[in-house]
Amino acid sequence: MTDLTTRWLGLDLHSPLVVGASPLTDDLDALKACVDAGAGAVVMHSLFEEQLVAEQMAAHRFIDSRINMDAEARSFFPGSEMFEMGSGSYLKRLKRLQGALDVPVIASLNGISPGGWIQHAGELENAGASAIELNLYDLATDPADTAATLEQRQLDVVRSVVEQVSIPVSVKLSPFYSALPAFVAGVEAAGARGLVLFNRFYQPDIDLDQLTLSRELALSSSAELPLRLHAVAMLFNRTGLEMAVSGGVHTGDDAAKALLSGATVVQVVSALLAEGPQALARISDAMSRRLRGIGYNTLAEARGAMSLDSAPDSQTWERLNYARLLHGWH
């Protein structure tokens, strides 16, 4: 069997299979089963900027509205630090997971603008997070918001979070950048240690019967993997950042493809939601057998073997592949 040990963000992992951010991180028993089945690390679900800011503002409005009722009110109202404003329960859960699991636990922040919410990165570090995954999810809806301003705002967020902590920070991106390598260079310059490619968006749909917007969770499939493989293969050796593939990994072959493209680790969510923790054991065993079967004894030997720089026909990763596909569709 192939040696599956690896290092992600400076952390020693016994497996490249990582439980990605999902509702599973609220279920300690499920996470323990995932670790027993081969998970090398766990990523908690995100703390959202909107949630943190809204709860902070609500608490301040509550206090301030009463302070104005009496000149001496400030003397009998507690300070705002007495209130749990967004992160308290998350920090408790993080400490509980760190104490119960023998693999790294990675906290997650989701935000789009520099601001006070970023101070929670330091709280996550103090609570014992092994690393932070910064999830950038920013959709431009203002016509005045250009690609350049949006990307600069995101890079400012990355830099602000990195400056708050001494633990490593990875950045989870969407696939919708017109010049991904250039933006990734900016992420690296801002101090991040890793990339997670890519976000899966749960966009609203329209209920025609009720004329309302609805949200439904659609699990991924292996059909979503090639988008990730292309990005990782293109970036391998062109960035100093370690890379994780997230989305579309359901089989051992899927995981092997991600590693051969250049990924250091592979995040799994939908397969776990569909099958439970036993999916990790299945994927791990099949991945190891596949890599050993094609001649790789360690992950380091396999990583990047099919990247843009190393693939036997590297042009297949590029635009020429589109022309070939159109001509040979039938």
Side-chain angles (χ1 to χ4, degrees), residues 8 11-20 31 34-35 38-44 101-106 130 265-268 280:
W8 167 243
L11 305 170
D12 291 318
L13 308 186
H14 64 259
S15 167
L17 299 180
V18 173
V19 178
L31 290 182
C34 287
V35 173
V42 169
V43 182
M44 296 180 67
L101 304 175
D102 59 359
V103 298
V105 177
I106 300 170
S130 300
V265 296
V266 176
Q267 294 190 359
V268 181
L280 278 175

Side-chain angles (χ1 to χ4, degrees), residues 46-87:
S46 290
L47 264 178
F48 283 82
E49 172 188 350
E50 293 87 345
Q51 169 195 353
L52 295 169
V53 172
E55 294 186 10
Q56 289 170 350
M57 293 304 296
H60 287 300
R61 282 196 298 270
F62 174 81
I63 294 172
D64 291 343
S65 65
R66 284 153 178 79
I67 284 175
N68 293 330
M69 294 172 61
D70 191 284
E72 298 180 355
R74 288 186 184 274
S75 65
F76 56 79
F77 271 104
S80 60
E81 67 272 7
M82 295 290 291
F83 290 82
E84 179 180 309
M85 293 183 287
S87 65

Side-chain angles (χ1 to χ4, degrees), residues 5 32 135 145 169 220 268 286 292 299 316:
T5 57
K32 287 181 176 179
N135 194 334
D145 203 5
V169 175
S220 75
V268 181
R292 184 60 181 267
L299 294 187
T316 305

Side-chain angles (χ1 to χ4, degrees), residues 7 156 314:
R7 281 179 64 82
D156 290 342
S314 61

